[in-house]
């Protein structure tokens, strides 16, 4: 699995710790930055990583900013992105098994690096269950297309 990872200035340190973690578990990634602590606008980075997921360059994505909120809001504006903001592993696993989340967002000012690694692990190790959950995702897709449900 190849991961698109992106962050803003508030999450550079956590991103770097997660890159070491991804290397240690042998997960490939594409780093969309930022790699500086200079203040940046998080939608630009969320958009780059989200597009990599939508284009198929990457299978899933991880977005980190101060709270994870801005990154997740921006990513969820990209058609086809289902980005889940999670701060513990149970939600991260459910975000995939029930919601087929193709992106995970976390807040670097909310969780520490060790907890973030457990969130990433749960996210990466989970698979979508399908079944009744597919029907619900189809309804979300209809909302995205501006159709009635
Ligand atoms: C940056 O200060 C902060 O607003 C950003 O990292 C993020 O938390 C936005 O949602």
């Amino acid at each position: 699995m190849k991961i698109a990872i992106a962050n803003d200035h508030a999450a550079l340190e956590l991103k770097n710790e997660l890159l070491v973690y991804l290397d240690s578990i042998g997960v490939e990634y594409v780093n969309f930055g930022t790699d500086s602590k200079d203040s940046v606008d998080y939608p630009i980075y969320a958009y780059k990583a989200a597009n990599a997921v939508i284009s198929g360059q990457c299978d899933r994505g991880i977005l980190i900013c101060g709270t994870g909120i801005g990154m997740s809001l921006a990513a969820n504006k990209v058609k086809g992105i289902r980005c889940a903001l999670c701060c513990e592993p149970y939600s991260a696993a459910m975000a995939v098994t029930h919601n087929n989340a193709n992106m995970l967002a976390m807040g670097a000012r909310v969780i520490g690096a060790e907890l973030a690694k457990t969130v990433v692990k749960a996210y990466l190790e989970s698979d979508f269950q399908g079944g009744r959950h597919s029907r619900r995702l189809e309804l979300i897709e209809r909302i995205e297309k501006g159709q009635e449900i």
Side-chain angles (χ1 to χ4, degrees), residues 4 6-7 32-33 41-55 57 63 70-79 81 103:
N7 58 285
F32 287 92
D41 296 329
Y42 57 79
I44 294 166
Y45 297 88
Y47 184 65
K48 289 180 191 199
N51 277 334
V53 172
I54 290 305
S55 71
Q57 181 192 359
L63 300 173
M71 281 288 212
S72 57
L73 290 178
N76 278 318
K77 295 293 180 191
V78 176
K79 206 171 182 179
I81 289 296
M103 299 194 90

Side-chain angles (χ1 to χ4, degrees), residues 1-144:
M1 184 186 301
K2 194 188 274 187
I3 296 298
I5 188 163
N7 58 285
D8 72 356
H9 52 283
L12 178 60
E13 279 168 23
L14 179 57
K15 194 270 296 287
N16 285 336
E17 293 215 40
L18 291 180
L19 294 187
V20 172
Y21 175 66
L22 292 174
D23 282 335
S24 77
I25 58 172
V27 171
E28 254 190 284
Y29 54 80
V30 182
N31 174 15
F32 287 92
T34 181
D35 288 300
S36 152
K37 282 200 172 172
D38 295 344
S39 183
V40 293
D41 296 329
Y42 57 79
I44 294 166
Y45 297 88
Y47 184 65
K48 289 180 191 199
N51 277 334
V53 172
I54 290 305
S55 71
Q57 181 192 359
C58 295
D59 304 295
R60 291 189 196 174
I62 297 174
L63 300 173
I64 356 168
C65 59
T67 58
I69 296 170
M71 281 288 212
S72 57
L73 290 178
N76 278 318
K77 295 293 180 191
V78 176
K79 206 171 182 179
I81 289 296
R82 293 174 301 279
C83 181
L85 172 57
C86 301
C87 55
E88 36 71 33
Y90 174 74
S91 298
M94 295 303 283
V96 181
T97 57
H98 283 197
N99 312 114
N100 202 13
N102 50 12
M103 299 194 90
L104 167 72
M106 292 181 291
R109 293 172 178 160
V110 179
I111 57 174
E114 292 311 311
L115 182 55
K117 288 177 205 170
T118 69
V119 172
V120 168
K121 185 173 192 288
Y123 176 68
L124 296 180
E125 288 178 351
S126 300
D127 295 308
F128 181 50
Q129 274 175 5
R132 68 188 188 281
H133 304 297
S134 298
R135 186 177 68 241
R136 293 160 188 167
L137 293 185
E138 280 162 24
L139 290 170
I140 293 176
E141 223 176 286
R142 286 182 62 85
I143 296 172
E144 190 177 58

